[in-house]
Amino acid sequence: MSCIVVLCGLPCVGKSFLVNELIHKLLSDRGLLDQVLLSLAGKDPTPRNVHLNVYHIEFDKLFEGVKDIFTLSKLSSLSLESGASSSSNTEADDFRHNLKLMREEAFIQTKNLLTLSNNTYSEFTQPLTTTLLPPISPTAQYTTQLPSVNDSSSTEQPPTPNETFSLIFIDDNMYYRSMRYRYYQLAKNVERTSFLQVFIECSESRSISQNNVRNERGGNVNGFLPSDVIYTMSERFEKPNPIEHHWETQTIFLSSPPDVNAFPWESLLKAWKNHLFESTGALDEIREKDKQKTLSN
């Protein structure tokens, strides 16, 4: 059972901070962890081994890896060209190309994680899609054996096959709705998978102010981020709108800086248990609403 959690918001609003703190709180608070696992696993009358895998897919870090591969590939191709002294592409072209590679890499990595998780429940093993970078490893893991609801039976029955729960955080600005919708479609078409958005609201001025501080400290992974980029992103940002877009119903709205202690875990659990693929009736309803919306536009 997997849940894709897509974070969206302007740069420097606390998206990565929020994910890191949520993972820390989940793994350090045993009461919260037991609540999450028991809620997901349900009341099974037999004991079973339960595994929790948490992934944090940071686009900034993926960008660095993709950029390095693209640079090496480009240098290699240039060395094979007789008399070639420079590339015809500009730095801006390379940057846009690497962004596309990064977004595709993140999507394929996520798809592979879902495939690995679902292979546990399938009679056949689905193939993985080739990626540019090595497979993403869990940021955090936890394994336990949930006790039986009936203590008398738990001593007589062996544990059932392992149950794996995966929480996948997709950490980027995601300012276009289409960027987020792609992950919703992925969740909708994969068994035992759900979808959630976390939108962190922040003013343009605060985002720029925090970005300037990060630039001064050299904290931007991809180098200096100009304020003009944030201005443009702010103008183009398509905020989640559950009223106009039914698929965005599962959205948590937070303010920057996000308060980890006030995070609504119950909303995350509700979304996590809402398997889009298995909810046939709900899925048909969503498809019909999306179809009608498309026709009206």
Side-chain angles (χ1 to χ4, degrees), residues 40-80:
L40 294 173
K43 295 183 178 180
D44 192 321
T46 56
R48 62 273 194 210
N49 296 319
V50 175
H51 304 287
L52 173 65
N53 295 322
V54 184
Y55 301 89
H56 184 186
I57 301 181
E58 298 182 75
F59 277 43
D60 284 348
K61 292 184 178 180
L62 285 181
F63 185 86
E64 281 296 292
V66 167
K67 184 175 68 174
D68 290 342
I69 291 177
F70 175 72
T71 301
L72 290 174
S73 175
K74 187 175 180 180
L75 291 175
S76 177
S77 64
L78 285 175
S79 66
L80 297 176

mmCIF file of all heavy atoms in Angstrom, residues 40-80:
data_model
loop_
_atom_site.group_PDB
_atom_site.id
_atom_site.type_symbol
_atom_site.label_atom_id
_atom_site.label_comp_id
_atom_site.label_asym_id
_atom_site.label_seq_id
_atom_site.Cartn_x
_atom_site.Cartn_y
_atom_site.Cartn_z
ATOM 1 N N LEU A 40 -3.479 1.690 9.025
ATOM 2 C CA LEU A 40 -3.293 1.201 7.665
ATOM 3 C C LEU A 40 -3.510 -0.304 7.566
ATOM 4 O O LEU A 40 -4.105 -0.795 6.611
ATOM 5 C CB LEU A 40 -1.882 1.545 7.172
ATOM 6 C CG LEU A 40 -1.561 3.027 6.981
ATOM 7 C CD1 LEU A 40 -0.085 3.202 6.656
ATOM 8 C CD2 LEU A 40 -2.421 3.646 5.887
ATOM 9 N N ALA A 41 -3.028 -1.034 8.563
ATOM 10 C CA ALA A 41 -3.088 -2.489 8.502
ATOM 11 C C ALA A 41 -4.477 -3.028 8.824
ATOM 12 O O ALA A 41 -4.858 -4.093 8.345
ATOM 13 C CB ALA A 41 -2.064 -3.094 9.463
ATOM 14 N N GLY A 42 -5.246 -2.295 9.621
ATOM 15 C CA GLY A 42 -6.576 -2.760 9.979
ATOM 16 C C GLY A 42 -6.531 -3.854 11.029
ATOM 17 O O GLY A 42 -5.467 -4.256 11.515
ATOM 18 N N LYS A 43 -7.690 -4.364 11.400
ATOM 19 C CA LYS A 43 -7.796 -5.384 12.444
ATOM 20 C C LYS A 43 -7.762 -6.781 11.839
ATOM 21 O O LYS A 43 -8.775 -7.433 11.648
ATOM 22 C CB LYS A 43 -9.084 -5.174 13.247
ATOM 23 C CG LYS A 43 -9.103 -3.872 14.033
ATOM 24 C CD LYS A 43 -10.366 -3.758 14.863
ATOM 25 C CE LYS A 43 -10.367 -2.476 15.683
ATOM 26 N NZ LYS A 43 -11.585 -2.345 16.512
ATOM 27 N N ASP A 44 -6.570 -7.222 11.551
ATOM 28 C CA ASP A 44 -6.375 -8.581 11.045
ATOM 29 C C ASP A 44 -6.279 -9.525 12.246
ATOM 30 O O ASP A 44 -5.525 -9.262 13.177
ATOM 31 C CB ASP A 44 -5.079 -8.628 10.225
ATOM 32 C CG ASP A 44 -4.942 -9.907 9.422
ATOM 33 O OD1 ASP A 44 -5.320 -10.973 9.946
ATOM 34 O OD2 ASP A 44 -4.465 -9.825 8.286
ATOM 35 N N PRO A 45 -7.015 -10.650 12.247
ATOM 36 C CA PRO A 45 -7.006 -11.552 13.397
ATOM 37 C C PRO A 45 -5.728 -12.378 13.542
ATOM 38 O O PRO A 45 -5.569 -13.092 14.512
ATOM 39 C CB PRO A 45 -8.206 -12.472 13.129
ATOM 40 C CG PRO A 45 -8.345 -12.468 11.654
ATOM 41 C CD PRO A 45 -7.981 -11.080 11.230
ATOM 42 N N THR A 46 -4.806 -12.247 12.590
ATOM 43 C CA THR A 46 -3.553 -12.995 12.688
ATOM 44 C C THR A 46 -2.378 -12.021 12.744
ATOM 45 O O THR A 46 -2.425 -10.934 12.170
ATOM 46 C CB THR A 46 -3.372 -13.916 11.465
ATOM 47 O OG1 THR A 46 -3.444 -13.145 10.273
ATOM 48 C CG2 THR A 46 -4.454 -14.985 11.441
ATOM 49 N N PRO A 47 -1.301 -12.422 13.431
ATOM 50 C CA PRO A 47 -0.126 -11.538 13.496
ATOM 51 C C PRO A 47 0.537 -11.446 12.126
ATOM 52 O O PRO A 47 0.485 -12.380 11.323
ATOM 53 C CB PRO A 47 0.772 -12.241 14.509
ATOM 54 C CG PRO A 47 0.372 -13.666 14.457
ATOM 55 C CD PRO A 47 -1.110 -13.662 14.181
ATOM 56 N N ARG A 48 1.175 -10.344 11.848
ATOM 57 C CA ARG A 48 1.851 -10.181 10.566
ATOM 58 C C ARG A 48 3.009 -9.210 10.706
ATOM 59 O O ARG A 48 3.012 -8.321 11.554
ATOM 60 C CB ARG A 48 0.905 -9.702 9.473
ATOM 61 C CG ARG A 48 0.271 -8.343 9.690
ATOM 62 C CD ARG A 48 -0.979 -8.469 10.485
ATOM 63 N NE ARG A 48 -1.786 -7.262 10.444
ATOM 64 C CZ ARG A 48 -2.571 -6.902 11.454
ATOM 65 N NH1 ARG A 48 -2.619 -7.613 12.559
ATOM 66 N NH2 ARG A 48 -3.313 -5.831 11.358
ATOM 67 N N ASN A 49 4.001 -9.418 9.867
ATOM 68 C CA ASN A 49 5.158 -8.537 9.828
ATOM 69 C C ASN A 49 4.834 -7.326 8.961
ATOM 70 O O ASN A 49 4.339 -7.462 7.847
ATOM 71 C CB ASN A 49 6.371 -9.269 9.254
ATOM 72 C CG ASN A 49 6.798 -10.424 10.134
ATOM 73 O OD1 ASN A 49 6.797 -10.311 11.357
ATOM 74 N ND2 ASN A 49 7.159 -11.544 9.527
ATOM 75 N N VAL A 50 5.113 -6.157 9.476
ATOM 76 C CA VAL A 50 4.786 -4.915 8.783
ATOM 77 C C VAL A 50 6.052 -4.105 8.546
ATOM 78 O O VAL A 50 6.863 -3.916 9.470
ATOM 79 C CB VAL A 50 3.770 -4.080 9.592
ATOM 80 C CG1 VAL A 50 3.542 -2.735 8.924
ATOM 81 C CG2 VAL A 50 2.450 -4.833 9.707
ATOM 82 N N HIS A 51 6.209 -3.639 7.307
ATOM 83 C CA HIS A 51 7.371 -2.828 6.943
ATOM 84 C C HIS A 51 6.893 -1.444 6.490
ATOM 85 O O HIS A 51 5.928 -1.341 5.732
ATOM 86 C CB HIS A 51 8.165 -3.482 5.813
ATOM 87 C CG HIS A 51 8.615 -4.877 6.102
ATOM 88 N ND1 HIS A 51 9.628 -5.169 6.980
ATOM 89 C CD2 HIS A 51 8.161 -6.068 5.641
ATOM 90 C CE1 HIS A 51 9.799 -6.483 7.047
ATOM 91 N NE2 HIS A 51 8.909 -7.048 6.239
ATOM 92 N N LEU A 52 7.579 -0.428 6.935
ATOM 93 C CA LEU A 52 7.299 0.945 6.500
ATOM 94 C C LEU A 52 8.531 1.497 5.802
ATOM 95 O O LEU A 52 9.629 1.517 6.371
ATOM 96 C CB LEU A 52 6.941 1.830 7.698
ATOM 97 C CG LEU A 52 6.788 3.331 7.404
ATOM 98 C CD1 LEU A 52 5.604 3.570 6.471
ATOM 99 C CD2 LEU A 52 6.616 4.122 8.691
ATOM 100 N N ASN A 53 8.352 1.929 4.555
ATOM 101 C CA ASN A 53 9.419 2.577 3.799
ATOM 102 C C ASN A 53 9.002 4.010 3.479
ATOM 103 O O ASN A 53 7.916 4.232 2.939
ATOM 104 C CB ASN A 53 9.697 1.827 2.487
ATOM 105 C CG ASN A 53 10.238 0.432 2.715
ATOM 106 O OD1 ASN A 53 11.022 0.212 3.629
ATOM 107 N ND2 ASN A 53 9.826 -0.509 1.885
ATOM 108 N N VAL A 54 9.850 4.956 3.831
ATOM 109 C CA VAL A 54 9.570 6.362 3.550
ATOM 110 C C VAL A 54 10.634 6.884 2.585
ATOM 111 O O VAL A 54 11.837 6.747 2.842
ATOM 112 C CB VAL A 54 9.568 7.212 4.840
ATOM 113 C CG1 VAL A 54 9.162 8.654 4.523
ATOM 114 C CG2 VAL A 54 8.624 6.604 5.881
ATOM 115 N N TYR A 55 10.171 7.483 1.491
ATOM 116 C CA TYR A 55 11.078 8.006 0.475
ATOM 117 C C TYR A 55 10.914 9.520 0.354
ATOM 118 O O TYR A 55 9.798 10.034 0.404
ATOM 119 C CB TYR A 55 10.794 7.372 -0.895
ATOM 120 C CG TYR A 55 10.930 5.874 -0.925
ATOM 121 C CD1 TYR A 55 9.843 5.044 -0.625
ATOM 122 C CD2 TYR A 55 12.135 5.275 -1.274
ATOM 123 C CE1 TYR A 55 9.959 3.668 -0.662
ATOM 124 C CE2 TYR A 55 12.258 3.890 -1.312
ATOM 125 C CZ TYR A 55 11.170 3.096 -0.999
ATOM 126 O OH TYR A 55 11.285 1.724 -1.042
ATOM 127 N N HIS A 56 12.037 10.200 0.194
ATOM 128 C CA HIS A 56 12.017 11.651 -0.018
ATOM 129 C C HIS A 56 12.719 11.926 -1.347
ATOM 130 O O HIS A 56 13.954 11.900 -1.432
ATOM 131 C CB HIS A 56 12.729 12.360 1.135
ATOM 132 C CG HIS A 56 12.675 13.846 1.054
ATOM 133 N ND1 HIS A 56 13.362 14.673 1.918
ATOM 134 C CD2 HIS A 56 12.006 14.679 0.210
ATOM 135 C CE1 HIS A 56 13.115 15.932 1.615
ATOM 136 N NE2 HIS A 56 12.310 15.965 0.569
ATOM 137 N N ILE A 57 11.932 12.168 -2.387
ATOM 138 C CA ILE A 57 12.483 12.439 -3.719
ATOM 139 C C ILE A 57 12.622 13.946 -3.886
ATOM 140 O O ILE A 57 11.648 14.654 -4.146
ATOM 141 C CB ILE A 57 11.598 11.831 -4.814
ATOM 142 C CG1 ILE A 57 11.479 10.312 -4.610
ATOM 143 C CG2 ILE A 57 12.153 12.146 -6.199
ATOM 144 C CD1 ILE A 57 10.643 9.605 -5.651
ATOM 145 N N GLU A 58 13.838 14.438 -3.718
ATOM 146 C CA GLU A 58 14.131 15.866 -3.811
ATOM 147 C C GLU A 58 14.592 16.203 -5.231
ATOM 148 O O GLU A 58 15.630 15.725 -5.680
ATOM 149 C CB GLU A 58 15.205 16.259 -2.806
ATOM 150 C CG GLU A 58 14.817 16.049 -1.356
ATOM 151 C CD GLU A 58 15.905 16.492 -0.408
ATOM 152 O OE1 GLU A 58 16.075 17.719 -0.223
ATOM 153 O OE2 GLU A 58 16.591 15.630 0.150
ATOM 154 N N PHE A 59 13.839 17.038 -5.897
ATOM 155 C CA PHE A 59 14.169 17.380 -7.283
ATOM 156 C C PHE A 59 15.512 18.091 -7.389
ATOM 157 O O PHE A 59 16.236 17.912 -8.369
ATOM 158 C CB PHE A 59 13.061 18.248 -7.883
ATOM 159 C CG PHE A 59 11.893 17.455 -8.393
ATOM 160 C CD1 PHE A 59 11.381 16.399 -7.660
ATOM 161 C CD2 PHE A 59 11.289 17.757 -9.603
ATOM 162 C CE1 PHE A 59 10.296 15.659 -8.126
ATOM 163 C CE2 PHE A 59 10.206 17.028 -10.075
ATOM 164 C CZ PHE A 59 9.713 15.982 -9.337
ATOM 165 N N ASP A 60 15.853 18.913 -6.395
ATOM 166 C CA ASP A 60 17.127 19.633 -6.447
ATOM 167 C C ASP A 60 18.311 18.665 -6.498
ATOM 168 O O ASP A 60 19.267 18.868 -7.258
ATOM 169 C CB ASP A 60 17.268 20.542 -5.225
ATOM 170 C CG ASP A 60 16.419 21.796 -5.346
ATOM 171 O OD1 ASP A 60 15.905 22.065 -6.440
ATOM 172 O OD2 ASP A 60 16.250 22.509 -4.329
ATOM 173 N N LYS A 61 18.241 17.605 -5.700
ATOM 174 C CA LYS A 61 19.330 16.633 -5.683
ATOM 175 C C LYS A 61 19.350 15.803 -6.959
ATOM 176 O O LYS A 61 20.423 15.462 -7.470
ATOM 177 C CB LYS A 61 19.211 15.740 -4.448
ATOM 178 C CG LYS A 61 19.473 16.483 -3.146
ATOM 179 C CD LYS A 61 19.435 15.555 -1.943
ATOM 180 C CE LYS A 61 19.750 16.321 -0.664
ATOM 181 N NZ LYS A 61 19.723 15.443 0.532
ATOM 182 N N LEU A 62 18.168 15.470 -7.456
ATOM 183 C CA LEU A 62 18.102 14.749 -8.729
ATOM 184 C C LEU A 62 18.689 15.592 -9.856
ATOM 185 O O LEU A 62 19.353 15.073 -10.750
ATOM 186 C CB LEU A 62 16.656 14.382 -9.066
ATOM 187 C CG LEU A 62 16.019 13.222 -8.297
ATOM 188 C CD1 LEU A 62 14.600 12.995 -8.801
ATOM 189 C CD2 LEU A 62 16.835 11.956 -8.430
ATOM 190 N N PHE A 63 18.427 16.892 -9.802
ATOM 191 C CA PHE A 63 18.925 17.797 -10.839
ATOM 192 C C PHE A 63 20.445 17.743 -10.907
ATOM 193 O O PHE A 63 21.031 17.729 -11.998
ATOM 194 C CB PHE A 63 18.456 19.223 -10.570
ATOM 195 C CG PHE A 63 18.825 20.203 -11.647
ATOM 196 C CD1 PHE A 63 18.012 20.372 -12.760
ATOM 197 C CD2 PHE A 63 19.984 20.950 -11.561
ATOM 198 C CE1 PHE A 63 18.359 21.269 -13.761
ATOM 199 C CE2 PHE A 63 20.336 21.846 -12.551
ATOM 200 C CZ PHE A 63 19.515 22.011 -13.661
ATOM 201 N N GLU A 64 21.096 17.726 -9.732
ATOM 202 C CA GLU A 64 22.558 17.670 -9.703
ATOM 203 C C GLU A 64 23.064 16.402 -10.380
ATOM 204 O O GLU A 64 24.013 16.431 -11.167
ATOM 205 C CB GLU A 64 23.049 17.737 -8.251
ATOM 206 C CG GLU A 64 23.062 19.134 -7.658
ATOM 207 C CD GLU A 64 24.036 20.038 -8.385
ATOM 208 O OE1 GLU A 64 25.259 19.827 -8.287
ATOM 209 O OE2 GLU A 64 23.559 20.962 -9.071
ATOM 210 N N GLY A 65 22.432 15.258 -10.068
ATOM 211 C CA GLY A 65 22.859 14.002 -10.660
ATOM 212 C C GLY A 65 22.631 13.957 -12.155
ATOM 213 O O GLY A 65 23.501 13.517 -12.922
ATOM 214 N N VAL A 66 21.470 14.436 -12.588
ATOM 215 C CA VAL A 66 21.154 14.452 -14.012
ATOM 216 C C VAL A 66 22.085 15.403 -14.754
ATOM 217 O O VAL A 66 22.559 15.099 -15.856
ATOM 218 C CB VAL A 66 19.677 14.862 -14.228
ATOM 219 C CG1 VAL A 66 19.418 15.189 -15.690
ATOM 220 C CG2 VAL A 66 18.743 13.753 -13.763
ATOM 221 N N LYS A 67 22.373 16.549 -14.147
ATOM 222 C CA LYS A 67 23.258 17.538 -14.778
ATOM 223 C C LYS A 67 24.657 16.963 -14.987
ATOM 224 O O LYS A 67 25.280 17.173 -16.033
ATOM 225 C CB LYS A 67 23.334 18.799 -13.922
ATOM 226 C CG LYS A 67 24.162 19.920 -14.549
ATOM 227 C CD LYS A 67 24.099 21.191 -13.719
ATOM 228 C CE LYS A 67 24.806 21.007 -12.399
ATOM 229 N NZ LYS A 67 24.882 22.283 -11.627
ATOM 230 N N ASP A 68 25.158 16.235 -13.998
ATOM 231 C CA ASP A 68 26.489 15.640 -14.119
ATOM 232 C C ASP A 68 26.533 14.628 -15.261
ATOM 233 O O ASP A 68 27.488 14.582 -16.034
ATOM 234 C CB ASP A 68 26.881 14.955 -12.804
ATOM 235 C CG ASP A 68 27.145 15.959 -11.690
ATOM 236 O OD1 ASP A 68 27.354 17.144 -12.005
ATOM 237 O OD2 ASP A 68 27.131 15.551 -10.516
ATOM 238 N N ILE A 69 25.482 13.800 -15.361
ATOM 239 C CA ILE A 69 25.432 12.799 -16.435
ATOM 240 C C ILE A 69 25.357 13.478 -17.797
ATOM 241 O O ILE A 69 26.040 13.091 -18.747
ATOM 242 C CB ILE A 69 24.224 11.864 -16.236
ATOM 243 C CG1 ILE A 69 24.451 10.987 -15.008
ATOM 244 C CG2 ILE A 69 23.991 11.002 -17.475
ATOM 245 C CD1 ILE A 69 23.285 10.088 -14.684
ATOM 246 N N PHE A 70 24.522 14.538 -17.885
ATOM 247 C CA PHE A 70 24.368 15.248 -19.155
ATOM 248 C C PHE A 70 25.679 15.920 -19.555
ATOM 249 O O PHE A 70 26.077 15.895 -20.729
ATOM 250 C CB PHE A 70 23.269 16.299 -19.033
ATOM 251 C CG PHE A 70 23.121 17.169 -20.253
ATOM 252 C CD1 PHE A 70 22.583 16.662 -21.429
ATOM 253 C CD2 PHE A 70 23.536 18.492 -20.235
ATOM 254 C CE1 PHE A 70 22.463 17.463 -22.555
ATOM 255 C CE2 PHE A 70 23.416 19.292 -21.351
ATOM 256 C CZ PHE A 70 22.869 18.782 -22.517
ATOM 257 N N THR A 71 26.397 16.487 -18.587
ATOM 258 C CA THR A 71 27.667 17.164 -18.879
ATOM 259 C C THR A 71 28.700 16.174 -19.396
ATOM 260 O O THR A 71 29.396 16.437 -20.382
ATOM 261 C CB THR A 71 28.200 17.861 -17.617
ATOM 262 O OG1 THR A 71 27.242 18.822 -17.158
ATOM 263 C CG2 THR A 71 29.510 18.581 -17.908
ATOM 264 N N LEU A 72 28.806 15.016 -18.751
ATOM 265 C CA LEU A 72 29.755 13.997 -19.191
ATOM 266 C C LEU A 72 29.405 13.493 -20.587
ATOM 267 O O LEU A 72 30.282 13.293 -21.432
ATOM 268 C CB LEU A 72 29.772 12.834 -18.199
ATOM 269 C CG LEU A 72 30.401 13.113 -16.827
ATOM 270 C CD1 LEU A 72 30.212 11.912 -15.913
ATOM 271 C CD2 LEU A 72 31.884 13.431 -16.976
ATOM 272 N N SER A 73 28.108 13.278 -20.821
ATOM 273 C CA SER A 73 27.667 12.813 -22.140
ATOM 274 C C SER A 73 27.971 13.842 -23.211
ATOM 275 O O SER A 73 28.398 13.507 -24.324
ATOM 276 C CB SER A 73 26.167 12.516 -22.100
ATOM 277 O OG SER A 73 25.690 12.173 -23.377
ATOM 278 N N LYS A 74 27.765 15.109 -22.853
ATOM 279 C CA LYS A 74 27.999 16.177 -23.811
ATOM 280 C C LYS A 74 29.488 16.308 -24.143
ATOM 281 O O LYS A 74 29.876 16.446 -25.305
ATOM 282 C CB LYS A 74 27.470 17.487 -23.224
ATOM 283 C CG LYS A 74 27.498 18.663 -24.185
ATOM 284 C CD LYS A 74 26.848 19.870 -23.536
ATOM 285 C CE LYS A 74 26.862 21.073 -24.469
ATOM 286 N NZ LYS A 74 26.223 22.253 -23.844
ATOM 287 N N LEU A 75 30.341 16.226 -23.122
ATOM 288 C CA LEU A 75 31.785 16.315 -23.334
ATOM 289 C C LEU A 75 32.273 15.134 -24.168
ATOM 290 O O LEU A 75 33.150 15.274 -25.017
ATOM 291 C CB LEU A 75 32.513 16.352 -21.988
ATOM 292 C CG LEU A 75 32.334 17.625 -21.158
ATOM 293 C CD1 LEU A 75 33.004 17.470 -19.796
ATOM 294 C CD2 LEU A 75 32.920 18.833 -21.891
ATOM 295 N N SER A 76 31.690 13.958 -23.894
ATOM 296 C CA SER A 76 32.081 12.767 -24.649
ATOM 297 C C SER A 76 31.727 12.908 -26.124
ATOM 298 O O SER A 76 32.519 12.570 -26.995
ATOM 299 C CB SER A 76 31.388 11.537 -24.061
ATOM 300 O OG SER A 76 31.698 10.389 -24.817
ATOM 301 N N SER A 77 30.553 13.439 -26.405
ATOM 302 C CA SER A 77 30.133 13.597 -27.799
ATOM 303 C C SER A 77 30.972 14.649 -28.503
ATOM 304 O O SER A 77 31.291 14.525 -29.679
ATOM 305 C CB SER A 77 28.646 13.965 -27.860
ATOM 306 O OG SER A 77 28.415 15.220 -27.254
ATOM 307 N N LEU A 78 31.352 15.704 -27.771
ATOM 308 C CA LEU A 78 32.172 16.755 -28.364
ATOM 309 C C LEU A 78 33.561 16.234 -28.726
ATOM 310 O O LEU A 78 34.149 16.615 -29.739
ATOM 311 C CB LEU A 78 32.296 17.936 -27.400
ATOM 312 C CG LEU A 78 31.070 18.846 -27.268
ATOM 313 C CD1 LEU A 78 31.306 19.884 -26.187
ATOM 314 C CD2 LEU A 78 30.760 19.522 -28.594
ATOM 315 N N SER A 79 34.088 15.343 -27.874
ATOM 316 C CA SER A 79 35.428 14.820 -28.128
ATOM 317 C C SER A 79 35.478 13.946 -29.375
ATOM 318 O O SER A 79 36.533 13.746 -29.959
ATOM 319 C CB SER A 79 35.899 14.008 -26.919
ATOM 320 O OG SER A 79 35.101 12.853 -26.758
ATOM 321 N N LEU A 80 34.300 13.438 -29.755
ATOM 322 C CA LEU A 80 34.238 12.596 -30.951
ATOM 323 C C LEU A 80 34.045 13.403 -32.232
ATOM 324 O O LEU A 80 34.178 12.872 -33.332
ATOM 325 C CB LEU A 80 33.096 11.575 -30.816
ATOM 326 C CG LEU A 80 33.231 10.564 -29.678
ATOM 327 C CD1 LEU A 80 31.984 9.692 -29.620
ATOM 328 C CD2 LEU A 80 34.475 9.698 -29.878
#
